[in-house]
Amino acid sequence: AECAPAVSSFLEMALTQLIINMRYGLMGISLSQKASDAIADLVYGGGVKKLNNQPDKLLFMERMSSSFLTSLE
């Protein structure tokens, strides 16, 4: 009976850690998919030829940063 609070506290910590890790895992997957889409747009959308064009670089960086920031919300 004396171990019950310790066990419940441990289970609460373990469950909290599991939920937090799952959240960060899903955020990482989401970010990698968005990055993959942005890279595919850059490479397959004629981005290889336009790589020296400054606006395209800025658009790519803007997409990456906005994807990262929205994944943090």
Side-chain angles (χ1 to χ4, degrees):
E2 292 179 19
C3 293
V7 170
S8 65
S9 178
F10 175 76
L11 289 176
E12 183 181 353
M13 268 193 326
L15 183 61
T16 302
Q17 195 65 39
L18 177 67
I19 291 170
I20 290 169
N21 287 342
M22 286 175 55
R23 178 176 175 253
Y24 281 111
L26 290 172
M27 284 179 8
I29 290 169
S30 174
L31 183 59
S32 68
Q33 287 175 341
K34 289 177 184 179
S36 176
D37 290 344
I39 291 169
D41 286 348
L42 181 70
V43 173
Y44 298 116
V48 174
K49 295 177 186 173
K50 300 178 185 178
L51 196 55
N52 291 326
N53 191 354
Q54 190 66 23
D56 288 332
K57 287 183 184 178
L58 292 175
L59 177 63
F60 175 72
M61 292 306 293
E62 182 180 331
R63 282 186 188 168
M64 292 299 294
S65 62
S66 67
S67 295
F68 177 72
L69 292 175
T70 55
S71 72
L72 295 178
E73 296 177 344

